[in-house]
Amino acid sequence: MAKMTMVQALNLALQQEMEKDDRVIVLGEDVGVDGGVFRVTDGLINQFGDQRVLDTPLAESAIVGMSIGMAVYGLKPVCEIQFSGFSYQNFHQIENHAARLRWRSRGRYSVSMVLRTPYGGGVRALEHHSESREVYWAHTPGLKMVIPSGPRNARALLVSAIRDPDPVIFYESKAVYRAFREEVPEEEETLPIGKPQRVRSGKDLTLISYGAMMRPTLQSADELKNKDGVEAEVIDLLTLSPLDEEILIQSVKKTGRAVVIHEAPRSFGAGAEIVSRLMEKAFYYLEAPIERVAGFDIVIPLFSREKAYLPSTQRILRAARKVLAAR
Amino acid sequence: MGKGLLSDTEIKAVESEVLDKIQAALDRAEKQMETLGNPMDMFEHAYAEMPPYLKEQKAQLAKELTELGEEGKHG
């Protein structure tokens, strides 16, 4: 197996799916000759040509509108929006059409497409380049919202997303893109969309997170073990919507304590939904109120203050210790 | 030659000069970041009047930063 960054692993997923299925089309700003703003589509135009890898104008609404048209007529478009902060330009196409065509046509039409886009802070970018607004999409019925946390699960989930019969919004963390490498198998690997993974077992506390925040969450679990002798169970959601609550409920029934971590703003975030489901299904097993560690309810500050905004291991540990201390 | 074309040596010199300038600008920016006011400023100007839950979040961060000392302040 080769050790890959998330960028390379995503490139492998696209390359192999394009090879297997000539309905798969890649389109977006600079995805062709330039290989994509983060080089995720590097080399695809040389292998598959400019009929399957399309450099589009700077027009997000057109990119997504075109993808919807392609999908309705049986192609499998994978479009790239350079930064998730630009995807509001195409919100109308996704919300009013991609998410609803199956429902509106009573199943006659469907939109099997993937919208890939980098999200989140941690790379000291400028305004509109660091937001974590996954909830816009997760809140929209008809869409699937996937957020991988590392090279291997990113590759496997992108393959599944391309094959999925429904529109999938696929958030890729810029902070994770080149942060570390993982073994990624050359042979095909998929992961089911809508299935969180237990990435660490423990009996004392459940830590629930996804995307870029998985790293500080896992570091916190290490520290809890080393400094506090606490066995934290860690769950990586991978898919925000449809959310499979079963693994979360089982875990919290076992540990009785939970912390949810995300970099998106706290209010009305994914944490609120997860806490609600745990309250509905695992309330009588809880030993302490569930804590949320999240971004603040403000626009993510510019580069120099990002660190103070993003959930850190210190903030996760503080919340974890508070939950553990409750009797 | 005599056509005023750039030689390889001259191209290298220009490239290195440009890279030096970029590096110097980066170093300057990194240094300035250390002095760009207080991280607590990020809570200002979200609304004309700060909602109570945001005041709570701000107070919480202030407390954490005091505990962390200088470490927590800079990106």
Side-chain angles (χ1 to χ4, degrees), chain A residues 18 28 32 42 80 144 149 163 175 194 231 233 245-246 263 268 288 321 326:
Chain A
M18 291 184 81
D42 201 26
E80 175 178 299
K144 295 185 178 179
S149 59
R163 296 178 188 179
E231 301 284 343
E233 181 144 299
E245 63 201 21
E246 202 43 46
E263 67 179 273
F268 308 97
R321 286 173 181 143

mmCIF file of all heavy atoms in Angstrom, chain A residues 18 28 32 42 80 144 149 163 175 194 231 233 245-246 263 268 288 321 326:
data_model
loop_
_atom_site.group_PDB
_atom_site.id
_atom_site.type_symbol
_atom_site.label_atom_id
_atom_site.label_comp_id
_atom_site.label_asym_id
_atom_site.label_seq_id
_atom_site.Cartn_x
_atom_site.Cartn_y
_atom_site.Cartn_z
ATOM 1 N N MET A 18 -13.193 7.127 -12.775
ATOM 2 C CA MET A 18 -13.298 7.580 -14.170
ATOM 3 C C MET A 18 -12.880 6.469 -15.128
ATOM 4 O O MET A 18 -13.420 6.332 -16.222
ATOM 5 C CB MET A 18 -12.433 8.824 -14.391
ATOM 6 C CG MET A 18 -12.985 10.042 -13.673
ATOM 7 S SD MET A 18 -12.046 11.528 -14.025
ATOM 8 C CE MET A 18 -12.742 12.002 -15.617
ATOM 9 N N GLY A 28 -15.254 21.939 -13.096
ATOM 10 C CA GLY A 28 -15.065 23.006 -12.113
ATOM 11 C C GLY A 28 -14.011 23.992 -12.580
ATOM 12 O O GLY A 28 -13.437 23.838 -13.664
ATOM 13 N N GLY A 32 -8.975 21.224 -14.766
ATOM 14 C CA GLY A 32 -8.340 20.553 -15.899
ATOM 15 C C GLY A 32 -6.850 20.803 -15.987
ATOM 16 O O GLY A 32 -6.056 20.151 -15.299
ATOM 17 N N ASP A 42 -5.358 16.636 -10.284
ATOM 18 C CA ASP A 42 -4.102 16.663 -11.034
ATOM 19 C C ASP A 42 -3.977 15.469 -11.989
ATOM 20 O O ASP A 42 -4.181 14.325 -11.587
ATOM 21 C CB ASP A 42 -2.940 16.642 -10.020
ATOM 22 C CG ASP A 42 -1.661 17.174 -10.630
ATOM 23 O OD1 ASP A 42 -1.743 17.980 -11.580
ATOM 24 O OD2 ASP A 42 -0.580 16.780 -10.164
ATOM 25 N N GLU A 80 -16.303 20.413 -8.683
ATOM 26 C CA GLU A 80 -15.494 20.986 -7.603
ATOM 27 C C GLU A 80 -15.829 22.469 -7.472
ATOM 28 O O GLU A 80 -15.827 23.198 -8.462
ATOM 29 C CB GLU A 80 -14.003 20.815 -7.920
ATOM 30 C CG GLU A 80 -13.105 21.508 -6.896
ATOM 31 C CD GLU A 80 -11.612 21.329 -7.155
ATOM 32 O OE1 GLU A 80 -11.140 20.179 -7.157
ATOM 33 O OE2 GLU A 80 -10.913 22.341 -7.358
ATOM 34 N N LYS A 144 -27.202 14.381 0.750
ATOM 35 C CA LYS A 144 -26.349 13.654 1.689
ATOM 36 C C LYS A 144 -25.126 14.519 1.951
ATOM 37 O O LYS A 144 -24.653 15.204 1.051
ATOM 38 C CB LYS A 144 -25.954 12.295 1.109
ATOM 39 C CG LYS A 144 -27.178 11.396 0.948
ATOM 40 C CD LYS A 144 -26.836 10.003 0.498
ATOM 41 C CE LYS A 144 -28.112 9.170 0.404
ATOM 42 N NZ LYS A 144 -27.846 7.803 -0.053
ATOM 43 N N SER A 149 -12.274 12.348 7.346
ATOM 44 C CA SER A 149 -11.325 12.923 8.309
ATOM 45 C C SER A 149 -9.876 12.587 7.992
ATOM 46 O O SER A 149 -8.972 13.092 8.647
ATOM 47 C CB SER A 149 -11.658 12.427 9.723
ATOM 48 O OG SER A 149 -11.583 11.020 9.755
ATOM 49 N N ARG A 163 -20.891 6.744 -6.596
ATOM 50 C CA ARG A 163 -21.834 5.678 -6.970
ATOM 51 C C ARG A 163 -23.218 5.871 -6.345
ATOM 52 O O ARG A 163 -24.145 5.129 -6.656
ATOM 53 C CB ARG A 163 -21.261 4.331 -6.526
ATOM 54 C CG ARG A 163 -19.974 4.000 -7.259
ATOM 55 C CD ARG A 163 -19.402 2.702 -6.762
ATOM 56 N NE ARG A 163 -18.070 2.500 -7.340
ATOM 57 C CZ ARG A 163 -17.301 1.460 -7.090
ATOM 58 N NH1 ARG A 163 -17.722 0.510 -6.288
ATOM 59 N NH2 ARG A 163 -16.116 1.365 -7.656
ATOM 60 N N ALA A 175 -7.269 21.790 6.140
ATOM 61 C CA ALA A 175 -6.255 21.578 7.176
ATOM 62 C C ALA A 175 -5.755 20.131 7.159
ATOM 63 O O ALA A 175 -4.648 19.851 7.617
ATOM 64 C CB ALA A 175 -6.823 21.927 8.545
ATOM 65 N N GLY A 194 -23.416 7.208 5.492
ATOM 66 C CA GLY A 194 -24.428 7.122 6.549
ATOM 67 C C GLY A 194 -24.034 6.192 7.685
ATOM 68 O O GLY A 194 -24.871 5.822 8.506
ATOM 69 N N GLU A 231 -10.664 6.081 29.821
ATOM 70 C CA GLU A 231 -10.787 5.402 28.521
ATOM 71 C C GLU A 231 -11.907 6.050 27.728
ATOM 72 O O GLU A 231 -13.090 5.815 27.983
ATOM 73 C CB GLU A 231 -11.131 3.918 28.725
ATOM 74 C CG GLU A 231 -10.119 3.126 29.530
ATOM 75 C CD GLU A 231 -8.860 2.784 28.736
ATOM 76 O OE1 GLU A 231 -8.918 2.887 27.486
ATOM 77 O OE2 GLU A 231 -7.845 2.445 29.353
ATOM 78 N N GLU A 233 -14.114 6.637 24.404
ATOM 79 C CA GLU A 233 -14.504 6.044 23.122
ATOM 80 C C GLU A 233 -14.617 7.204 22.120
ATOM 81 O O GLU A 233 -15.153 8.259 22.469
ATOM 82 C CB GLU A 233 -15.848 5.329 23.282
ATOM 83 C CG GLU A 233 -16.337 4.657 22.016
ATOM 84 C CD GLU A 233 -17.065 3.353 22.319
ATOM 85 O OE1 GLU A 233 -16.436 2.444 22.897
ATOM 86 O OE2 GLU A 233 -18.252 3.254 21.996
ATOM 87 N N GLU A 245 -27.785 7.227 14.065
ATOM 88 C CA GLU A 245 -27.618 7.513 15.496
ATOM 89 C C GLU A 245 -27.315 6.263 16.316
ATOM 90 O O GLU A 245 -26.931 6.371 17.474
ATOM 91 C CB GLU A 245 -28.902 8.168 16.025
ATOM 92 C CG GLU A 245 -30.103 7.251 15.912
ATOM 93 C CD GLU A 245 -31.440 7.976 15.937
ATOM 94 O OE1 GLU A 245 -31.472 9.175 15.647
ATOM 95 O OE2 GLU A 245 -32.431 7.305 16.245
ATOM 96 N N GLU A 246 -27.509 5.076 15.725
ATOM 97 C CA GLU A 246 -27.453 3.852 16.513
ATOM 98 C C GLU A 246 -26.122 3.679 17.268
ATOM 99 O O GLU A 246 -26.095 3.393 18.456
ATOM 100 C CB GLU A 246 -27.716 2.648 15.595
ATOM 101 C CG GLU A 246 -28.190 1.397 16.305
ATOM 102 C CD GLU A 246 -29.248 1.647 17.400
ATOM 103 O OE1 GLU A 246 -30.202 2.409 17.140
ATOM 104 O OE2 GLU A 246 -29.091 1.098 18.506
ATOM 105 N N GLU A 263 -16.056 22.375 14.545
ATOM 106 C CA GLU A 263 -15.524 23.731 14.404
ATOM 107 C C GLU A 263 -16.585 24.704 13.900
ATOM 108 O O GLU A 263 -16.391 25.914 13.953
ATOM 109 C CB GLU A 263 -14.284 23.734 13.504
ATOM 110 C CG GLU A 263 -14.519 23.392 12.054
ATOM 111 C CD GLU A 263 -13.219 23.451 11.244
ATOM 112 O OE1 GLU A 263 -12.863 24.520 10.749
ATOM 113 O OE2 GLU A 263 -12.583 22.392 11.129
ATOM 114 N N PHE A 268 -27.272 25.857 16.742
ATOM 115 C CA PHE A 268 -27.929 25.171 15.636
ATOM 116 C C PHE A 268 -26.951 24.324 14.822
ATOM 117 O O PHE A 268 -27.180 24.032 13.658
ATOM 118 C CB PHE A 268 -28.673 26.166 14.729
ATOM 119 C CG PHE A 268 -29.592 27.063 15.502
ATOM 120 C CD1 PHE A 268 -29.199 28.337 15.879
ATOM 121 C CD2 PHE A 268 -30.825 26.604 15.908
ATOM 122 C CE1 PHE A 268 -30.021 29.151 16.648
ATOM 123 C CE2 PHE A 268 -31.662 27.403 16.662
ATOM 124 C CZ PHE A 268 -31.265 28.685 17.042
ATOM 125 N N ALA A 288 -24.254 12.584 33.152
ATOM 126 C CA ALA A 288 -23.908 14.018 33.200
ATOM 127 C C ALA A 288 -24.493 14.694 31.963
ATOM 128 O O ALA A 288 -24.716 14.046 30.945
ATOM 129 C CB ALA A 288 -22.391 14.174 33.196
ATOM 130 N N ARG A 321 -13.379 16.815 31.019
ATOM 131 C CA ARG A 321 -13.181 16.703 32.480
ATOM 132 C C ARG A 321 -14.415 17.175 33.260
ATOM 133 O O ARG A 321 -14.750 16.623 34.301
ATOM 134 C CB ARG A 321 -11.918 17.468 32.902
ATOM 135 C CG ARG A 321 -10.666 16.701 32.476
ATOM 136 C CD ARG A 321 -9.379 17.444 32.697
ATOM 137 N NE ARG A 321 -8.258 16.620 32.231
ATOM 138 C CZ ARG A 321 -7.167 17.089 31.626
ATOM 139 N NH1 ARG A 321 -7.043 18.389 31.419
ATOM 140 N NH2 ARG A 321 -6.214 16.272 31.229
ATOM 141 N N ALA A 326 -18.931 15.178 36.816
ATOM 142 C CA ALA A 326 -20.317 15.209 37.295
ATOM 143 C C ALA A 326 -20.701 13.868 37.898
ATOM 144 O O ALA A 326 -20.424 12.823 37.325
ATOM 145 C CB ALA A 326 -21.242 15.559 36.138
#
